[in-house]
Amino acid sequence: MITLGLKNSGAGGFAPRLVRNALRTAAISTLALAAAACTTAGGTGVAVNADMAVPAGNFDFVSWDGYLGGGDSSQYSALDQINRSNVSQLEVAWTYETGPGAPPIFSPTIGGGRMYVQNGAGKLVALDPATGRELWVSDLDGRVGIRGVNYWESADGREGRLMVLNNGILRAVDAATGRMIPSFGTNGGVDLRDALPRDVAMPNAPLMTNNPGRIYKNTIIVSLPAGAYDYASAPANIHAYDVITGELKWTFNTVPREGEYGYDTWPTGEDRAKYGGVHNWSESTVDTELGIVFIPTGTPRYDFYGGNRAGDNLFGNSLLALDAETGERIWHFQTVHHDLWDFDLPVAPKLMTITRNGQRIPIVIQVVKHGFIFAFDRRTGEPIWPIEERAVPASDVPGEHASPTQPFPTWPQPYMRMEFTEDDINPYLPQADQDALRNSLRNEWRNDGLFTPPSLRGSISMPGHNGGANWGNVAVDPVRQRLYIVSRELPLLLKINPDNRAEALAAMPNAGDDNIPYRWPVNFMLQSNGMVAIKPPFSNLTAYDMNTGNQIFQIPNGEILTLEEQGITGVGAQAPRSGPIVTAGGLLFVNTASDRAFRARDADTGAILWEHRFDAATEGVPAVYAVNGRQYITVPVGGVGHFLGGLGLPEPGPSRYVTFALPQGRN
């Protein structure tokens, strides 16, 4: 077993922010120009030749054997039987009802001739992907991650396994039967807490997450959750286990240990081991050709006050490029320093190879919550377009140490609005709600634009931490170098309050007279009619050409049923938590909950080519696959939808998976 954080080495040409003020005096582009052709990427001490061969990009875009389609996380299918010319003929091929319980947001996975979904009771279920016939229901007891799963198959094709997190235990499940494999780990499982250092704030409850991890060869790479939504929590380390035995192969410390790179971006002292968070709760991506796993991380605890954790707090809010075989850091980039907004990175990094200035460059794209798109050479971490450190508003909360600057990509242009002013108040709110918002914006709340810190009087955060892009909201067409983003326009009020309870002070690392706990009551600013505070569009669908970074189109994404009934359209769905999926047939499939719609759009223009309405919300990521020469697309359906309970939508129909295909004989 290999235990790795970061080698204690000097910062290289593209090193993100270890020496804070020194590096921040210049833009990232200036640093990049100063770097030699053979650089030390991200300060790891690992020499990387910037002229190394470009990977072929021969990923499997036909099968759908993992969450978001597979380890590459592209949400792209090379299948083109369903295309622009015939998509209007799509019809329901089969339906599988999931039964009582939670509506499905689980993304179907296909492997070994079976489809794997989740029923209302939270059980894994195997279906015949051509008919929807139930083949087995797993015997696992307890919680299973609700967003997806990954399928592994032996080299000879004789054995298939599903790698599953079950009540904080990593298990291998026989894909043919749904039964736990008892030879994996100890008595059929591995407790994710076992590999944590003994001196950290150990969680009492199992470390359960909805992030299914990623499979690389015979290794399952799992990102741990933070274990507590509080000041003291377990660090969300990254673990790699043998798929066959459950043996721990390596671990990466997301909060650096003493002697590791980034250690000095956190306070030292007796409470050092209590710092946690920095969790990849959402998604990650594996580049199988370069042998790199790209892992985006989250916010250090506590999310909205950091007076007790002065410094940049690596590796919070960072894109990590790790050697998938060893866990060694190749490079990293921190998108937010000393996060106070919960601007964690919830979207899987996306891979493609672009042509820029006549050169082919393999890139990784990281879309973030707060409206930006970061793009890097995935071999070295060199930014594709300059990234500048710009001054941001200071905090007025006693004891806080807000970072004086934050990274701003100069290109591509942001995919959403980054401010909420009086001019942006939603006109479809009751007049009393509009007046109250206007008064508070004018006279009460702090509102200095992006990176306005939380405050005692209340600060506007736009985009808020549930706005922007979130899990499953980004897809790419790696063949045509396109990027597609579903965005959520959802301002937030960050009003923090001091917590002087003795137990709160005792639980806070590095507490003192100038460092007391602050709590933050959730306020998503949903109004009396259930609508968001900001005016339309409530959601956009934005497409980019990543060779140039130019926007191809930006259009409202979906509708709201209650406004449609009044003849009001073109507003965008409220808080969508879904798709998109791109196909080689020139199609972009997107599902939206507030209008209960599933649409096929022209991938070049966004124009709607086909639409199907359900009697319930549709959230989660669809799956595209083929069986016996026929192409299918399956979408989860059920419930009212996220942030939609106050809109007065009709009672939803049954929860189910609905699968579409062209009529038989018209393929």
Side-chain angles (χ1 to χ4, degrees), residues 435-450:
D435 292 343
L437 283 169
R438 187 171 292 105
N439 178 66
S440 293
L441 284 166
R442 184 176 297 173
N443 302 313
E444 181 180 357
W445 298 329
R446 185 175 179 187
N447 191 13
D448 301 325
L450 185 64

Side-chain angles (χ1 to χ4, degrees), residues 269-281:
E270 61 182 14
D271 284 347
R272 171 72 188 212
K274 293 183 181 179
Y275 292 114
V278 192
H279 50 318
N280 171 226
W281 60 266

